[in-house]
Amino acid sequence: MSLLKQLIEIQDNKKNIAVCNNLVSNHEYTGNLKRVKKEFDIEKSKFKSKEIEISNLKKKYQVASNSLNEDKEELEKIKFELYNNAGSDLKLIDALQKKFNKKQENIKIVDNEILKLLEQEEKLSSEKESLKIKLSKLKNDFYTYKNTEGSKINDAREKMKKSEEAIKETEKLIPVDILEIFNKICSSKGTGAAELKNNICSGCKVKVSSMTIDNVKKQQRIVYCDNCGRIIYCNEKKSF
């Protein structure tokens, strides 16, 4: 491998490291995980709230149901007394009839209350089920995204490691003085080498001199761009 190709290989690996590093340090990934987790916690809180509401409704239902049963038992007692023990005592009959009517009215009120409690419970149960489905979806979305993006990040870390190792191995083959020049250009320009296309440096987009082109044609060891100072090269498969 020629010296120039070795420098280009180092540059390509540096570019790869930069791309992978951006992926590894992607704040959007962490932000998205936090957003989904926050949304999950909010919906979970709503779900727990529905459970508490349903539990309280069931307690109210039980109290109302017990009260209804007691009222019905008392109603039967009043009814029995009215038809079996009142005889012709009009005063007692009137008192029992009023008591009977009042108890019937109370039973009707409790019946309506129980009906409303059942309707509320049905509504809350439906809302709870919707929240359960949403929680399940959020949980799946969270882990799917985490696993997918986490895999990309792990792959990026592995590629970075391989590129770093490749750079170290290639640097051992390059003379120290040339490597220092190349790294210095990379530090100031972002890239140290640029391809010459149609006599134009792809790094600075400026046409180079005829002398520089001639030096590249002669495949001199190192040729610099007249304008930006990058090391320029020509793809061997292309002509000037």
Side-chain angles (χ1 to χ4, degrees):
M1 186 185 294
S2 68
L3 175 62
L4 189 55
K5 284 185 178 180
Q6 289 169 341
L7 293 175
I8 294 167
E9 185 178 291
I10 290 175
Q11 181 166 288
D12 288 342
N13 277 307
K14 283 186 175 183
K15 286 179 182 178
N16 184 52
I17 290 172
V19 171
C20 291
N21 188 53
N22 285 335
L23 182 60
V24 170
S25 58
N26 183 8
H27 297 297
E28 185 180 351
Y29 166 69
T30 305
N32 285 337
L33 285 181
K34 287 181 178 179
R35 178 184 57 76
V36 177
K37 178 65 166 58
K38 184 179 180 180
E39 188 177 355
F40 179 86
D41 289 339
I42 290 172
E43 296 304 316
K44 186 177 180 181
S45 178
K46 290 180 183 178
F47 181 82
K48 291 291 183 183
S49 179
K50 296 297 177 187
E51 282 189 324
I52 293 171
E53 287 184 66
I54 291 172
S55 177
N56 289 336
L57 275 176
K58 285 182 176 179
K59 288 177 183 178
K60 288 181 180 180
Y61 172 83
Q62 191 60 51
V63 171
S65 181
N66 291 338
S67 175
L68 182 65
N69 290 333
E70 289 174 2
D71 284 343
K72 284 181 177 180
E73 287 178 5
E74 288 183 24
L75 186 68
E76 288 301 317
K77 289 178 182 178
I78 294 169
K79 187 177 180 181
F80 180 83
E81 191 174 351
L82 180 64
Y83 292 110
N84 294 283
N85 298 328
S88 58
D89 188 341
L90 296 177
K91 189 175 181 181
L92 179 59
I93 291 172
D94 184 58
L96 287 171
Q97 188 63 53
K98 287 180 179 178
K99 193 175 181 181
F100 182 87
N101 292 341
K102 185 177 181 181
K103 189 60 65 176
Q104 271 193 325
E105 185 63 29
N106 191 59
I107 287 173
K108 186 178 179 181
I109 292 171
V110 176
D111 259 334
N112 288 334
E113 182 184 346
I114 288 175
L115 182 61
K116 287 180 181 178
L117 289 171
L118 288 172
E119 288 174 349
Q120 289 175 32
E121 183 182 355
E122 184 178 0
K123 182 173 180 277
L124 287 170
S125 295
S126 176
E127 291 172 353
K128 178 187 169 185
E129 185 61 28
S130 295
L131 286 169
K132 184 178 180 181
I133 293 170
K134 190 172 182 179
L135 282 170
S136 178
K137 183 178 183 305
L138 285 171
K139 186 177 180 180
N140 289 335
D141 288 348
F142 177 85
Y143 285 108
T144 298
Y145 180 75
K146 184 179 180 182
N147 291 335
T148 302
E149 296 304 311
S151 178
K152 290 180 182 177
I153 289 173
N154 288 334
D155 287 344
R157 286 197 179 104
E158 187 62 30
K159 288 178 181 178
M160 281 176 66
K161 184 179 178 182
K162 289 180 179 179
S163 291
E164 287 167 354
E165 291 172 352
I167 287 173
K168 288 179 181 178
E169 290 301 314
T170 306
E171 284 180 340
K172 294 176 183 178
L173 306 174
I174 301 173
V176 176
D177 58 333
I178 299 297
L179 188 60
E180 286 180 354
I181 293 171
F182 175 75
N183 286 334
K184 187 176 180 180
I185 299 171
C186 285
S187 297
S188 61
K189 305 290 183 181
T191 54
E195 185 179 0
L196 194 63
K197 296 180 179 179
N198 298 320
N199 302 338
I200 295 174
C201 170
S202 61
C204 63
K205 312 302 180 187
V206 174
K207 187 174 182 179
V208 299
S209 67
S210 299
M211 184 181 294
T212 301
I213 294 171
D214 189 51
N215 289 334
V216 172
K217 285 182 178 180
K218 291 177 181 177
Q219 296 185 342
Q220 287 193 4
R221 191 180 186 209
I222 295 292
V223 181
Y224 299 98
C225 173
D226 306 319
N227 182 61
C228 67
R230 287 183 176 88
I231 298 169
I232 54 175
Y233 65 94
C234 180
N235 192 316
E236 293 176 350
K237 294 181 180 180
K238 296 179 180 179
S239 59
F240 288 90

